[in-house]
Amino acid sequence: MFFKTLEEDIELFDRQDSNSTEPLLHSTPTQRSFDYVLVAQKVDDEKDQKAQRQRAFIQQLEKKNISVTTLYHEDKVFYGLRAAREMFEDYQYLLKVSDSCNCCGETSGAVTQTTRIRIVHFILEQTFINTGESLNELLKNNVFETMFCLHERKKQKQLRKKWAQWSHLFTAQPFSEVKSYFGEKVALYYLWLSWYTKLLIPAAALGVVVFLYGLAFFNTNPLIKEVCESNITMCPRCDNRCKVWQLSDTCTYAKVSHLFDNEGTVAFAMFMAIWATLFLEFWKRTRARYVCQWKVFDWSEEEEELILDIVNDQNCTPKQFRHSYLRSTLVLILVTLMLVIIIGLALALVVFRVVAAALMSESSHWDFVKENANTVAVLLGAVLHYITIQIMTRINRSVAFQLCAIEETNSFAATERSFTVKMFTFQFFTLFSSLFYVAFFLGRINGHPGSYVRIARWRLEECHPSGCLTDLFIQMAVIMVLKQTINNIFEFTVPWLKRCLGRNAAKKLERKCGHCYRKTCRNEDGCVEPCNICKLRDWLRNYHLTNTDAFSLFNEFLEMVIQFSFTTIFVAAFPLAPLLALINNIFEIRLDAIKMVRLERRLVPRKTNDIGVWTKVLEAIGVLAVMANGLVIGVSSDFIPRLVYRYRYGPCANGITLTHCMEGYINDTLATAFLNHTGIQNDFQHSQMKTEYGYNATSCSYRDYRSAEDYSLTSQFWLVLAVRFAFVILFEHVVVVCKFIAAWFVPDSPIRVKNDRLHDKLRRLKLELQEKTRCKSTDV
């Protein structure tokens, strides 16, 4: 009974395959795998518009010498596509006579499956029906449901065994095998990520040393002692219910601040700026070595696109380069408008923190929240910032696509470059606008007692007397940890759940159809095409995987480059950022590998010789990191005020040697407000000036360099400001010179690569000459 059912199912598939150009069983060798699969909803009415457009598109493909195998499953129809051999012969010949692609090693011999997929994918996207609709438009209009290229089971198993497993966390990656299966673009991504992760090891180690340096003086630092043993009464942090408080209440906060704001931070920031340059320069050498080995050193994506145009249509015309000042101006205006909106959102977060801190200080039922309202507000602001990032990422992507459509670029590579720059710019401002406010504006524009700056009736935030760097650290730590952790969880769980559903569907098909007992179907090394049951099972297995597109790899690059920005730009405020990045990347590499090999549909293999415009983006981040870290140390941290106090105002500067040189520093950075001043009376109520012991305070302290008489800025403020700017200029010039020296000292290409290319060119020229001589001999 079982075999009878199996025979009936096979006969049923044969009847369903009446439109197929391929027979069920082959006795002669053929191409086993299909190049592409199209999926559509089954339409019974042949006069239906969708059915007619489906047939029209399939007919256009058949005119281009692409054979189509049709299989049905429930309410779906699957079209297996396979291109003719002549198409690939034309491609190989054009590669051979091209200017930049003629040394890739694919100009003769068998065409790899990655090349077949790339060519067929291009032809699919450049095929139009009589209504002028392309495949992408047909997909949007639900004429077709999806399209995908197939995983090769044998190579997929090999990659799964050697690479895409959690047990291989600390093993080397098989870059050449990844290149052979996913193409050079994906292989270069993993090569770059691997190199970045290796270079993070010394950065993470030094960051831990800086952190431990601060921890070593946790209890002995004179500044911490001064805060913890102080009897200074501080001014209320908010209006109405906030009361004066003791500086010693923030002893723990002062200790935490010292972990990230100490003398080692300056040296670490300089190291990271030079590290970013060395990372890029050594990456260029690593890239050169591998692309030379893969024979794509001179490869041009634009030239290959031109070759594919000819393969698709020999009567094609080139897409002209265009430039319109009107379009460029419009794009510039729209980009500026988008950045203004993003910065506006950052300001909205500032308002949220101000209002939240005031409300929690005034009406919270929890004493802990009331006493630490500012810190809790910063934490809530960081979480809200993360939620804003997730929402704005979708909006930024849509806007970047629309702007690229306005530009009308002449190739996919140009579109990709334009999209990358715009999307990264939008994401950078989305992530870092709030951080720039915390780093450079928080506590500096809030005014002083008697003249507070307000938003409506709420005062702007103030820095802690120990400095503003801890607020920046909290903001960075929350965003970095949340972003990396939650993103990785979603990246893995969503494709995994979809794969589980797909596996259930495949098992259901096996129960329905029985098992195929043909040895040729199970022989993955053979060239005999499998039966329809095995074809459909394989297609369904790929169909139920998570969809991928041309920008799937872009998402991975964007995530890592944003992480690189966090690791370098504000590293002075968060020395542990490289350590967090290192831990994340160790798991990220295997997570991405498992996703691509086991959980997602196969990416369309792309041939390239570089990571593209991302190199320029990384260079720009390196320059920005120098400026940002210089400003963080010079402006945000207390490094300069401590330096000025030690050598100008402190005990040692005045000849007192019996005490520590920094004794009295905290008190020196505080100004005093007296309640008998009219402006102070307007800001503080009498009930706010009562201490916890019931005494009425007649004065309170606040962080600033101001005179107690007229609240004007003191000469010490101007001296500190001048030294701050001098340090920033000196720091940036010294580090930039070091960066240039490092870039000059490390050549982009190793000598071995240059010599290998020289020998390869000589070999190919000799072969061409021998071929010419052979042709002459044949003619004679």
Side-chain angles (χ1 to χ4, degrees):
M1 184 67 184
F2 170 78
F3 290 104
K4 184 179 178 182
T5 305
L6 178 59
E7 290 170 359
E8 288 173 355
D9 284 329
I10 293 176
E11 288 175 5
L12 175 63
F13 279 117
D14 287 337
R15 288 197 299 273
Q16 290 172 340
D17 198 27
S18 58
N19 296 327
S20 171
T21 60
E22 302 289 339
L24 175 63
L25 301 178
H26 283 283
S27 57
T28 57
T30 182
Q31 172 69 23
R32 178 182 173 89
S33 177
F34 284 80
D35 300 321
Y36 237 92
V37 175
L38 279 174
V39 184
Q41 287 288 335
K42 184 180 177 182
V43 181
D44 295 325
D45 185 4
E46 293 186 0
K47 295 182 179 180
D48 186 84
Q49 285 290 325
K50 284 188 177 181
Q52 292 178 2
R53 286 147 84 187
Q54 285 176 16
R55 285 198 303 273
F57 188 81
I58 296 301
Q59 288 170 3
Q60 289 295 325
L61 293 179
E62 289 173 340
K63 288 179 182 178
K64 295 184 176 183
N65 209 11
I66 293 179
S67 63
V68 182
T69 299
T70 307
L71 293 178
Y72 295 90
H73 174 66
E74 296 178 351
D75 61 338
K76 309 286 184 188
V77 53
F78 291 79
Y79 300 100
L81 310 179
R82 183 183 288 140
R85 183 184 62 189
E86 292 77 16
M87 187 181 294
F88 305 113
E89 290 175 350
D90 293 342
Y91 174 79
Q92 287 181 319
Y93 175 77
L94 291 172
L95 281 183
K96 188 174 182 179
V97 299
S98 67
D99 294 329
S100 302
C101 305
N102 57 5
C103 59
C104 68
E106 293 188 11
T107 55
S108 61
V111 178
T112 62
Q113 186 64 19
T114 55
T115 302
R116 294 178 66 95
I117 292 171
R118 187 168 65 254
I119 295 172
V120 173
H121 174 79
F122 182 87
I123 292 172
L124 284 173
E125 292 200 326
Q126 298 300 317
T127 299
F128 301 86
I129 60 176
N130 51 9
T131 60
E133 291 175 291
S134 67
L135 179 57
N136 286 328
E137 291 169 326
L138 293 174
L139 288 167
K140 288 179 183 177
N141 296 329
N142 296 320
V143 175
F144 290 100
E145 181 185 332
T146 187
M147 63 175 185
F148 53 87
C149 49
L150 298 170
H151 280 288
E152 298 171 72
R153 296 298 302 281
K154 183 180 178 182
K155 291 185 178 179
Q156 188 183 25
K157 287 178 182 176
Q158 290 173 348
L159 283 176
R160 187 171 172 176
K161 183 179 179 181
K162 295 176 63 175
W163 182 48
Q165 287 188 12
W166 291 114
S167 58
H168 294 313
L169 274 179
F170 300 101
T171 58
Q173 298 187 75
F175 298 115
S176 295
E177 286 88 341
V178 174
K179 184 267 298 184
S180 299
Y181 190 75
F182 287 111
E184 284 80 358
K185 196 174 187 71
V186 172
L188 283 170
Y189 162 71
Y190 283 104
L191 181 64
W192 175 83
L193 182 54
S194 176
W195 181 248
Y196 170 44
T197 304
K198 288 177 183 176
L199 266 288
L200 277 173
I201 295 173
L206 191 58
V208 171
V209 169
V210 172
F211 178 80
L212 293 177
Y213 172 80
L215 194 63
F217 299 97
F218 207 67
N219 295 316
T220 59
N221 186 274
L223 303 184
I224 295 176
K225 277 189 174 183
E226 189 173 350
V227 172
C228 296
E229 298 173 2
S230 152
N231 59 358
I232 298 174
T233 301
M234 303 296 294
C235 293
R237 294 169 177 166
C238 64
D239 299 326
N240 301 326
R241 295 190 181 184
C242 291
K243 296 184 178 182
V244 292
W245 51 283
Q246 295 299 308
L247 180 61
S248 57
D249 295 342
T250 60
C251 178
T252 303
Y253 196 99
K255 291 179 179 179
V256 174
S257 297
H258 182 69
L259 293 177
F260 306 100
D261 187 5
N262 55 65
E263 292 77 5
T265 304
V266 181
F268 185 59
M270 292 185 67
F271 167 81
M272 286 303 295
I274 298 170
W275 172 90
T277 300
L278 290 174
F279 159 70
L280 283 174
E281 294 305 318
F282 281 110
W283 154 246
K284 291 174 185 176
R285 290 172 63 85
T286 304
R287 179 205 68 87
R289 192 168 66 252
Y290 275 88
V291 297
C292 180
Q293 178 185 328
W294 297 337
K295 298 187 182 302
V296 289
F297 195 95
D298 297 315
W299 185 266
S300 169
E301 292 183 69
E302 284 86 354
E303 191 164 329
E304 192 206 18
E305 196 166 329
L306 197 61
I307 291 171
L308 292 174
D309 271 327
I310 299 171
V311 170
N312 177 54
D313 180 10
Q314 294 187 10
N315 298 319
C316 68
T317 55
K319 296 176 184 176
Q320 301 289 331
F321 289 97
R322 298 178 181 179
H323 182 267
S324 168
Y325 286 105
L326 178 62
R327 289 179 183 275
S328 299
T329 304
L330 178 61
V331 169
L332 186 61
I333 292 172
L334 292 175
V335 168
T336 305
L337 179 62
M338 188 66 184
L339 295 181
V340 169
I341 293 172
I342 293 171
I343 294 171
L345 287 173
L347 295 177
L349 288 173
V350 173
V351 174
F352 167 80
R353 284 200 300 267
V354 169
V355 175
L359 293 178
M360 284 187 290
S361 297
E362 295 174 5
S363 58
S364 178
H365 299 293
W366 294 298
D367 291 337
F368 175 80
V369 174
K370 185 180 291 186
E371 293 170 2
N372 300 277
N374 286 339
T375 304
V376 175
V378 170
L379 279 169
L380 290 176
V383 174
L384 184 60
H385 187 196
Y386 172 77
I387 296 171
T388 306
I389 290 168
Q390 300 306 308
I391 297 171
M392 285 303 298
T393 297
R394 299 179 182 276
I395 298 173
N396 292 343
R397 179 183 296 275
S398 177
V399 172
F401 271 126
Q402 295 300 322
L403 292 175
C404 290
I406 293 173
E407 287 180 325
E408 293 186 356
T409 52
N410 74 317
S411 66
F412 176 79
T415 303
E416 191 176 35
R417 286 195 296 269
S418 177
F419 175 79
T420 299
V421 172
K422 292 177 179 60
M423 183 64 183
F424 175 78
T425 303
F426 293 155
Q427 285 295 94
F428 183 85
F429 273 81
T430 301
L431 269 81
F432 284 91
S433 294
S434 181
L435 294 178
F436 272 95
Y437 166 78
V438 173
F440 305 125
F441 298 100
L442 178 63
R444 291 170 181 79
I445 57 173
N446 59 306
H448 59 87
S451 183
Y452 280 120
V453 178
R454 299 176 182 272
I455 297 176
R457 66 181 182 88
W458 294 288
R459 280 164 44 185
L460 283 181
E461 304 164 279
E462 297 181 20
C463 281
H464 187 270
S466 299
C468 299
L469 219 56
T470 304
D471 294 321
L472 180 59
F473 153 70
I474 292 172
Q475 189 93 344
M476 283 188 66
V478 170
I479 293 172
M480 200 168 178
V481 171
L482 279 179
K483 192 173 186 305
Q484 292 185 160
T485 305
I486 296 178
N487 281 9
N488 285 345
I489 291 172
F490 275 98
E491 274 184 29
F492 184 78
T493 54
V494 173
W496 179 78
L497 289 172
K498 190 163 185 179
R499 183 195 176 210
C500 291
L501 294 174
R503 184 182 294 170
N504 292 335
K507 287 181 179 179
K508 182 180 177 182
L509 180 66
E510 287 179 7
R511 289 194 298 269
K512 178 180 177 181
C513 299
H515 295 279
C516 174
Y517 290 95
R518 294 178 64 228
K519 291 182 179 179
T520 52
C521 288
R522 297 193 298 273
N523 182 13
E524 294 172 356
D525 292 322
C527 293
V528 177
E529 184 174 325
C531 68
N532 284 348
I533 294 175
C534 292
K535 280 183 205 169
L536 187 57
R537 190 178 298 153
D538 186 38
W539 295 358
L540 280 171
R541 190 182 293 111
N542 285 269
Y543 170 75
H544 286 293
L545 296 175
T546 302
N547 189 33
T548 57
D549 55 38
F551 291 96
S552 295
L553 190 64
F554 167 85
N555 298 331
E556 306 297 341
F557 258 121
L558 179 63
E559 181 184 349
M560 287 297 101
V561 173
I562 290 293
Q563 185 207 82
F564 180 82
S565 304
F566 271 104
T567 306
T568 53
I569 290 179
F570 288 122
V571 73
F574 192 20
L576 295 180
L579 178 63
L580 290 182
L582 174 63
I583 295 170
N584 174 79
N585 289 3
I586 290 172
F587 291 95
E588 181 78 25
I589 290 172
R590 300 303 157 184
L591 175 62
D592 289 346
I594 291 170
K595 274 196 318 176
M596 287 188 185
V597 175
R598 300 163 61 180
L599 305 178
E600 292 181 340
R601 293 174 185 170
R602 186 175 182 176
L603 286 168
V604 176
R606 294 274 303 278
K607 189 179 283 290
T608 186
N609 64 353
D610 201 355
I611 59 174
V613 74
W614 289 116
T615 302
K616 300 294 183 185
V617 172
L618 291 168
E619 289 175 350
I621 292 171
V623 174
L624 185 61
V626 175
M627 296 186 289
N629 282 300
L631 288 169
V632 165
I633 296 168
V635 177
S636 304
S637 76
D638 274 4
F639 175 74
I640 297 301
R642 290 197 296 260
L643 206 64
V644 171
Y645 181 79
R646 177 186 288 270
Y647 295 106
R648 181 68 177 84
Y649 297 101
C652 295
N654 294 318
I656 302 173
T657 57
L658 299 178
T659 184
H660 195 280
C661 292
M662 295 303 295
E663 187 170 323
Y665 168 75
I666 297 295
N667 191 47
D668 183 71
T669 60
L670 300 176
T672 305
F674 292 95
L675 194 58
N676 57 10
H677 190 277
T678 307
I680 307 298
Q681 293 174 359
N682 293 333
D683 280 334
F684 301 141
Q685 300 174 7
H686 285 285
S687 59
Q688 291 182 271
M689 300 302 290
K690 280 190 176 182
T691 66
E692 59 181 338
Y693 302 109
Y695 298 109
N696 288 323
T698 57
S699 64
C700 60
S701 299
Y702 60 97
R703 181 183 169 86
D704 209 343
Y705 293 106
R706 289 188 179 274
S707 167
E709 287 77 25
D710 57 359
Y711 300 100
S712 61
L713 295 170
T714 63
S715 59
Q716 186 174 352
F717 168 84
W718 298 109
L719 177 61
V720 169
L721 184 65
V723 177
R724 283 186 191 274
F725 285 128
F727 171 83
V728 170
I729 294 170
L730 180 64
F731 177 88
E732 292 180 357
H733 280 71
V734 168
V735 175
V736 166
V737 168
C738 291
K739 282 170 67 70
F740 278 123
I741 292 173
W744 166 80
F745 189 75
V746 182
D748 290 351
S749 295
I751 295 298
R752 181 179 174 182
V753 169
K754 294 179 180 179
N755 289 329
D756 287 345
R757 293 186 65 230
L758 183 65
H759 287 298
D760 184 60
K761 286 182 181 180
L762 182 63
R763 180 186 59 79
R764 286 189 291 106
L765 290 172
K766 287 181 177 180
L767 286 175
E768 287 293 329
L769 186 59
Q770 290 171 6
E771 185 68 25
K772 179 183 177 183
T773 306
R774 192 182 302 112
C775 290
K776 279 186 176 181
S777 302
T778 305
D779 292 340
V780 172

